[in-house]
mmCIF file of all heavy atoms in Angstrom:
data_model
loop_
_atom_site.group_PDB
_atom_site.id
_atom_site.type_symbol
_atom_site.label_atom_id
_atom_site.label_comp_id
_atom_site.label_asym_id
_atom_site.label_seq_id
_atom_site.Cartn_x
_atom_site.Cartn_y
_atom_site.Cartn_z
ATOM 1 N N GLY A 574 31.901 5.700 -43.266
ATOM 2 C CA GLY A 574 32.852 5.776 -42.223
ATOM 3 C C GLY A 574 32.343 5.703 -40.829
ATOM 4 O O GLY A 574 31.680 4.849 -40.412
ATOM 5 N N GLU A 575 32.452 6.850 -40.276
ATOM 6 C CA GLU A 575 32.057 7.098 -38.908
ATOM 7 C C GLU A 575 30.575 7.206 -38.677
ATOM 8 O O GLU A 575 29.915 8.026 -39.291
ATOM 9 C CB GLU A 575 32.724 8.269 -38.336
ATOM 10 C CG GLU A 575 34.181 8.080 -38.015
ATOM 11 C CD GLU A 575 34.510 7.223 -36.873
ATOM 12 O OE1 GLU A 575 34.138 7.556 -35.871
ATOM 13 O OE2 GLU A 575 35.039 6.117 -37.198
ATOM 14 N N GLU A 576 30.090 6.360 -37.762
ATOM 15 C CA GLU A 576 28.619 6.491 -37.438
ATOM 16 C C GLU A 576 28.353 7.747 -36.623
ATOM 17 O O GLU A 576 27.290 8.299 -36.638
ATOM 18 C CB GLU A 576 28.171 5.339 -36.605
ATOM 19 C CG GLU A 576 27.393 4.346 -37.445
ATOM 20 C CD GLU A 576 26.745 3.175 -36.748
ATOM 21 O OE1 GLU A 576 26.114 3.433 -35.722
ATOM 22 O OE2 GLU A 576 26.876 2.106 -37.318
ATOM 23 N N VAL A 577 29.378 8.173 -35.879
ATOM 24 C CA VAL A 577 29.278 9.400 -35.151
ATOM 25 C C VAL A 577 29.012 10.615 -35.979
ATOM 26 O O VAL A 577 27.978 11.346 -35.720
ATOM 27 C CB VAL A 577 30.638 9.758 -34.334
ATOM 28 C CG1 VAL A 577 30.452 10.874 -33.445
ATOM 29 C CG2 VAL A 577 31.068 8.499 -33.720
ATOM 30 N N GLU A 578 29.671 10.766 -37.136
ATOM 31 C CA GLU A 578 29.329 11.748 -38.177
ATOM 32 C C GLU A 578 27.873 11.711 -38.486
ATOM 33 O O GLU A 578 27.220 12.752 -38.562
ATOM 34 C CB GLU A 578 30.259 11.508 -39.364
ATOM 35 C CG GLU A 578 31.351 12.524 -39.465
ATOM 36 C CD GLU A 578 31.101 14.010 -39.056
ATOM 37 O OE1 GLU A 578 30.353 14.669 -39.706
ATOM 38 O OE2 GLU A 578 31.640 14.354 -37.942
ATOM 39 N N LEU A 579 27.492 10.446 -38.923
ATOM 40 C CA LEU A 579 26.175 10.347 -39.415
ATOM 41 C C LEU A 579 25.070 10.724 -38.253
ATOM 42 O O LEU A 579 24.080 11.395 -38.616
ATOM 43 C CB LEU A 579 25.895 8.843 -39.741
ATOM 44 C CG LEU A 579 24.541 8.559 -40.278
ATOM 45 C CD1 LEU A 579 24.275 9.015 -41.671
ATOM 46 C CD2 LEU A 579 24.148 7.074 -40.185
ATOM 47 N N SER A 580 25.350 10.347 -37.090
ATOM 48 C CA SER A 580 24.372 10.744 -35.898
ATOM 49 C C SER A 580 24.318 12.252 -35.936
ATOM 50 O O SER A 580 23.170 12.784 -35.753
ATOM 51 C CB SER A 580 24.967 10.180 -34.685
ATOM 52 O OG SER A 580 24.971 8.774 -34.700
ATOM 53 N N LYS A 581 25.418 12.867 -36.045
ATOM 54 C CA LYS A 581 25.374 14.438 -35.893
ATOM 55 C C LYS A 581 24.685 14.900 -37.029
ATOM 56 O O LYS A 581 23.776 15.839 -36.835
ATOM 57 C CB LYS A 581 26.921 14.899 -35.961
ATOM 58 C CG LYS A 581 26.894 16.322 -35.469
ATOM 59 C CD LYS A 581 28.356 16.937 -35.749
ATOM 60 C CE LYS A 581 28.113 18.425 -35.712
ATOM 61 N NZ LYS A 581 27.464 18.952 -36.912
ATOM 62 N N GLU A 582 24.799 14.367 -38.347
ATOM 63 C CA GLU A 582 24.140 14.934 -39.397
ATOM 64 C C GLU A 582 22.553 14.743 -39.300
ATOM 65 O O GLU A 582 21.833 15.509 -39.623
ATOM 66 C CB GLU A 582 24.605 14.243 -40.748
ATOM 67 C CG GLU A 582 25.841 14.707 -41.257
ATOM 68 C CD GLU A 582 26.382 13.847 -42.450
ATOM 69 O OE1 GLU A 582 25.626 13.278 -43.199
ATOM 70 O OE2 GLU A 582 27.629 13.741 -42.558
ATOM 71 N N ILE A 583 22.279 13.505 -38.771
ATOM 72 C CA ILE A 583 20.963 13.189 -38.611
ATOM 73 C C ILE A 583 20.261 14.180 -37.601
ATOM 74 O O ILE A 583 19.152 14.670 -37.802
ATOM 75 C CB ILE A 583 20.669 11.758 -38.264
ATOM 76 C CG1 ILE A 583 20.939 10.915 -39.547
ATOM 77 C CG2 ILE A 583 19.198 11.506 -37.734
ATOM 78 C CD1 ILE A 583 20.753 9.403 -39.470
ATOM 79 N N ASN A 584 20.983 14.393 -36.564
ATOM 80 C CA ASN A 584 20.377 15.394 -35.521
ATOM 81 C C ASN A 584 20.291 16.777 -36.140
ATOM 82 O O ASN A 584 19.479 17.454 -35.690
ATOM 83 C CB ASN A 584 21.223 15.352 -34.255
ATOM 84 C CG ASN A 584 20.637 14.295 -33.334
ATOM 85 O OD1 ASN A 584 19.365 14.113 -33.231
ATOM 86 N ND2 ASN A 584 21.458 13.741 -32.462
ATOM 87 N N ASP A 585 21.214 17.107 -37.037
ATOM 88 C CA ASP A 585 21.109 18.435 -37.625
ATOM 89 C C ASP A 585 19.859 18.520 -38.471
ATOM 90 O O ASP A 585 19.177 19.480 -38.562
ATOM 91 C CB ASP A 585 22.365 18.675 -38.448
ATOM 92 C CG ASP A 585 23.641 18.984 -37.694
ATOM 93 O OD1 ASP A 585 23.461 19.182 -36.433
ATOM 94 O OD2 ASP A 585 24.716 18.948 -38.279
ATOM 95 N N VAL A 586 19.614 17.365 -39.130
ATOM 96 C CA VAL A 586 18.321 17.377 -39.982
ATOM 97 C C VAL A 586 17.047 17.584 -39.058
ATOM 98 O O VAL A 586 16.251 18.295 -39.427
ATOM 99 C CB VAL A 586 18.240 16.048 -40.762
ATOM 100 C CG1 VAL A 586 16.932 16.047 -41.535
ATOM 101 C CG2 VAL A 586 19.338 15.912 -41.785
ATOM 102 N N ILE A 587 17.147 16.829 -37.925
ATOM 103 C CA ILE A 587 15.984 16.953 -37.005
ATOM 104 C C ILE A 587 15.784 18.326 -36.460
ATOM 105 O O ILE A 587 14.766 18.934 -36.556
ATOM 106 C CB ILE A 587 16.102 15.986 -35.802
ATOM 107 C CG1 ILE A 587 16.028 14.454 -36.298
ATOM 108 C CG2 ILE A 587 15.027 16.142 -34.716
ATOM 109 C CD1 ILE A 587 16.342 13.414 -35.187
#
Side-chain angles (χ1 to χ4, degrees):
E575 285 291 293
E576 258 184 45
V577 188
E578 255 321 292
L579 180 76
S580 296
K581 198 188 153 294
E582 283 175 27
I583 285 179
N584 268 330
D585 288 346
V586 176
I587 297 176

